[in-house]
Each structure stands twice: as C-alpha cells, then as structure tokens.
Amino acid sequence: MKERRIALVDRQYLLPFVLLTSLFFLWGFAHAILDVLNKHFQELLAITKTHSALIQATMYMGYFIMAVPAGLFITRFGYRKGVVSGLLLYGIGSLLFIPGQYWMSFDFFLFSLFVIGCGLVFLETAANPYVTELGAKETAASRLNFAQSFNGLGCIFAPILTGFLLFSDDNGMRSGNVALPYTVMGVIVLLVAVIFSRVRLPEIRHEVEVDDSGRAVSLWSHRLFVFGLVALFFYEISEISINSFFINYVTDKEWMNARDASVILSFGGLGLFMVGRFVGSWIMGRVRAEKMLFWCATGTVATTLLVLLDVGYFSLSALLCGYAFEAIMFPTIFALSLKGLGSHTKRASSFLMMTPVGGAVGPLLMGWVGDHMAMHWAFVIPFVGYVVVWTFARYALVCRK
C-alpha cells in the first residue's frame, strides 16, 4: 500500500501560514540591510571595523533584552497581539532614521536599530513557534524552513537596494540618504501591522506535561532544548559574523569594489541561502531533519576551513557555498529544540530568541581580529560556531535513534 504523504500545513491554518510567512521577508530585509550599513558607516564616519560592528551588536542586544518580556507578553495576550506589537516597534524604529539622518549621529542610528531589534524579537518569538504548530509534528522543521525561505528573499533585496543607494561603481561612496530605505520599510511595516490587527489568528494551546508522580516537568529537563539553545547562539555568531564582514573580506582581498561586493552578497551568498532554504524544506519532506542538519553542518565546517586556509578564489567559492549549507540551520535547530515541549513552547521560544545576541558578540570578535590580523584569519570565529552546530546535530541524531 502506498504511504500517504503528510501535508505541509493543515487546511484550516493555511491563511495564518500565508500571513505569517510574509513577516519572514520583512525581518530578513531588516537583518541584511545591516551588512551594507556596516561598510557604509566605516567610510562615512571614518570608524574601525570593530566600531562599525556596534551596528549588529546594538540591534541584537535588543533580542537579548526583550526576548523574555516578549515571551511573557505572547503567553498572556496571544500570538496576534505579539505580532502587532513587534510590527509597531519595527516601524517606529525604521522611521527614527529620519531624524538620525538629519543629525548624522551614529549613536542615534544605533538607538533606532535597537528599537527595530526589540520589534523583531516580538515577531520572531511569535511567528517561529506558531509556524511549527500549523500542521503535523513530522513536518514542523520542513514547514519552518519553507516559511524561513522568504526570509532569504528579503535578505537578497536589502543589500542590492542599499548597495546601489550608498556605494558608487568606482569603489567610492555615495552621499546617499540612509534614511530612505528605512522610511519606505517603516511605512510598509506599519501598514502590515494594520492588517494583522484586523485578522484573527487561532490560538494553539497545549496541556501541561507531567511526570509519573503528577508534577509538572521542568523546561530545563529537556536536554535537546538546552543543547539547542547553545547551538543557536553559536550559529548566530557564525552567520551574522560572516554577513557583517563579507564585503570587508572581498574588498580587502581587492577582488572587487564595495558596490560589486554588495551585489555578490545578494545574488551569490544570500541567493544561495534562499535556494538552500527552499531545497532544504523539500528534502526534509523525505529525509529526517536531524540527518539533514548533520550533513549541512559538515558542509559549513569544511567551507569555513577553506576560507581560513586562504586559497584565493577557492576560498571565495567556499564562502559562497557555505551560505547554501547554513540555510536550513536556524529553523531546523529551532524546530528540533521545541519538539515535545508542549505547554513550554512559548516560553522556550522566548529563550531561543535570546540567542541572536550571538549576532552582537560574533561581529565584535571578528572585527577585532580583522583590525589586528589579515581578514581571512577572522573566520576562525564562525568556524568555531559551526563546529558547535555540528556537535548538536550529531547529538540530535543519537537522540533520534
């Protein structure tokens, strides 16, 4: 008898899934635009790589500070209000770039990014676990990877648009209005907030998990969740560090100018990232998520090692291939970490959404190494992070057996 194929999304949850998937594009755009701002502010304000890394550090500190409050808010008021609150903060933070451009204050730009980060953690704390619940448990990782693929689409558009606005084609810098892309983004986000304020998202409730004696089981007794928390932190260190200094790496090697590098980052790196998400989602409909994560982690360890070995254009090719391998990591680790948590799901999600603080730590470390040594040596930071992810994937495979 032919085995019945499990649907990716339950029919009654199709509309919420479509609406939530649109959010992944919005926060993908917000993250990727930072990678161009990093290089832009180095040139505009004559600051070091370490100093410019505060762009990522400040935004991801918003994740660390607001993740638990966001989880508590969503637990009390539900997913829809969590999404709307996140969109409002995201929109307000984007519009704050208008006075920031007028004053040309790096500190005010950082404050604006912090507000955006606080909004994004509300969105991700609500949307990521909610998407995993909109169908069968067996397809949770595949479903989240599919939704996260549109995050990759936003990541492609951001460097292209901002790169052409802020960099000239002669390896120089335009005096472009950095507030313009943020203003447009802010208006769009606030309109989306209005839409979400008028739709109803069904709440998914779980029974409290108890042990044999009838006592509630602690979240921290779930070892896969605890290890997943660590793995996500190190993954964020790796991903954000590479994105932050991709343009620096290729321009320091004199392979291309900053504008061309932003295009390569979009179509090459982040394009492969998006394709990796779509293909990974399709493969995980047929292959266990744990096995897929293990082989992709092996790929990122190998490609980052080639960058460290500094073998010319082979290192650049390896770096771009690494984007395809890492594509499925965040949603897959996230989904595996939430597996079987029941009533702990919302609280666990808020802790998992603290891990993007790795995006604050990694670029600072990588920037410091890049300021004091050849830029390729700075890739030891993401290399260590991918090794931790590989170890988690191996542990998840053992647990599954």
Side-chain angles (χ1 to χ4, degrees):
M1 182 181 294
K2 188 176 180 179
E3 186 177 349
R4 185 176 67 87
R5 183 171 173 79
I6 302 174
L8 185 67
V9 183
D10 286 353
R11 186 182 299 274
Q12 68 267 32
Y13 295 136
L14 186 59
L15 178 59
F17 179 74
V18 171
L19 290 173
L20 287 166
T21 298
S22 70
L23 298 179
F24 288 80
F25 175 89
L26 293 176
W27 75 61
F29 194 98
H31 285 300
I33 199 173
L34 299 181
D35 307 326
V36 178
L37 284 184
N38 196 308
K39 179 67 173 175
H40 177 66
F41 280 131
Q42 288 172 27
E43 298 179 353
L44 181 67
L45 302 175
I47 58 178
T48 65
K49 296 180 180 72
T50 308
H51 195 182
S52 70
L54 287 174
I55 293 170
Q56 276 83 6
T58 302
M59 183 163 166
Y60 290 108
M61 279 304 297
Y63 275 78
F64 183 74
I65 292 171
M66 288 299 294
V68 172
L72 293 173
F73 181 93
I74 292 165
T75 298
R76 181 170 181 180
F77 297 106
Y79 288 111
R80 184 176 66 86
K81 289 184 179 179
V83 167
V84 172
S85 299
L87 289 169
L88 289 175
L89 286 170
Y90 181 175
I92 292 169
S94 298
L95 296 180
L96 285 175
F97 265 73
I98 298 174
Q101 176 74 29
Y102 177 77
W103 291 317
M104 198 51 67
S105 167
F106 187 62
D107 289 340
F108 195 84
F109 283 132
L110 293 180
F111 173 73
S112 304
L113 290 170
F114 176 78
V115 175
I116 292 174
C118 291
L120 292 179
V121 74
F122 268 87
L123 290 181
E124 297 194 50
T125 302
N128 281 310
Y130 194 73
V131 166
T132 66
E133 300 287 348
L134 298 180
K137 293 180 180 179
E138 295 86 348
T139 58
S142 179
R143 185 164 50 254
L144 186 54
N145 267 283
F146 180 81
Q148 287 268 5
S149 300
F150 292 88
N151 175 286
L153 188 62
C155 288
I156 289 176
F157 278 99
I160 294 175
L161 296 177
T162 53
F164 276 94
L165 281 172
L166 302 178
F167 298 123
S168 65
D169 56 4
D170 57 356
N171 208 25
M173 177 190 63
R174 297 186 190 277
S175 57
N177 187 338
V178 74
L180 179 59
Y182 275 96
T183 302
V184 174
M185 191 164 61
V187 171
I188 292 173
V189 166
L190 291 176
L191 289 174
V192 174
V194 172
I195 295 173
F196 269 91
S197 68
R198 296 179 178 274
V199 299
R200 297 181 66 86
L201 295 181
E203 285 296 320
I204 300 171
R205 305 192 182 279
H206 304 273
E207 294 182 1
V208 176
E209 182 183 6
V210 296
D211 59 20
D212 294 338
S213 63
R215 292 180 300 181
V217 176
S218 168
L219 170 63
W220 303 104
S221 66
H222 293 268
R223 293 182 180 179
L224 192 63
F225 163 73
V226 175
F227 199 171
L229 196 63
V230 175
L232 268 186
F233 173 76
F234 278 92
Y235 165 75
E236 292 287 358
I237 286 178
S238 300
E239 183 205 2
I240 305 305
S241 296
I242 291 175
N243 289 346
S244 300
F245 291 104
F246 178 93
I247 295 176
N248 278 109
Y249 173 66
V250 298
T251 55
D252 284 5
K253 290 291 184 181
E254 298 183 348
W255 288 331
M256 63 192 75
N257 59 43
R259 179 174 173 176
D260 291 342
S262 67
V263 174
I264 294 297
L265 175 60
S266 292
F267 287 108
L270 298 175
L272 285 170
F273 185 88
M274 183 188 69
V275 171
R277 282 259 170 96
F278 277 116
V279 173
S281 175
W282 179 80
I283 292 175
M284 276 189 281
R286 296 153 178 80
V287 176
R288 290 185 322 188
E290 296 89 346
K291 183 176 290 188
M292 183 74 175
L293 179 63
F294 174 79
W295 287 112
C296 285
T298 302
T300 55
V301 170
T303 53
T304 312
L305 182 60
L306 281 173
V307 177
L308 277 170
L309 293 174
D310 194 25
V311 286
Y313 282 105
F314 285 108
S315 292
L316 178 59
S317 299
L319 180 59
L320 292 173
C321 289
Y323 278 92
F325 285 122
E326 75 171 10
I328 60 98
M329 286 185 173
F330 182 92
T332 305
I333 297 171
F334 198 98
L336 291 176
S337 300
L338 291 181
K339 185 180 290 185
L341 294 187
S343 60
H344 293 304
T345 299
K346 291 178 181 177
R347 182 163 166 254
S349 174
S350 69
F351 284 116
L352 290 171
M353 287 317 306
M354 294 177 73
T355 59
V357 74
V361 175
L364 288 173
L365 293 173
M366 197 168 177
W368 184 87
V369 176
D371 281 332
H372 293 84
M373 303 174 69
M375 195 63 214
H376 69 274
W377 287 115
F379 281 80
V380 70
I381 306 300
F383 176 76
V384 171
Y386 288 136
V387 169
V388 174
V389 173
W390 183 91
T391 308
F392 169 79
R394 180 66 183 144
Y395 178 75
L397 270 175
V398 173
C399 289
R400 180 66 183 261
K401 292 177 183 178

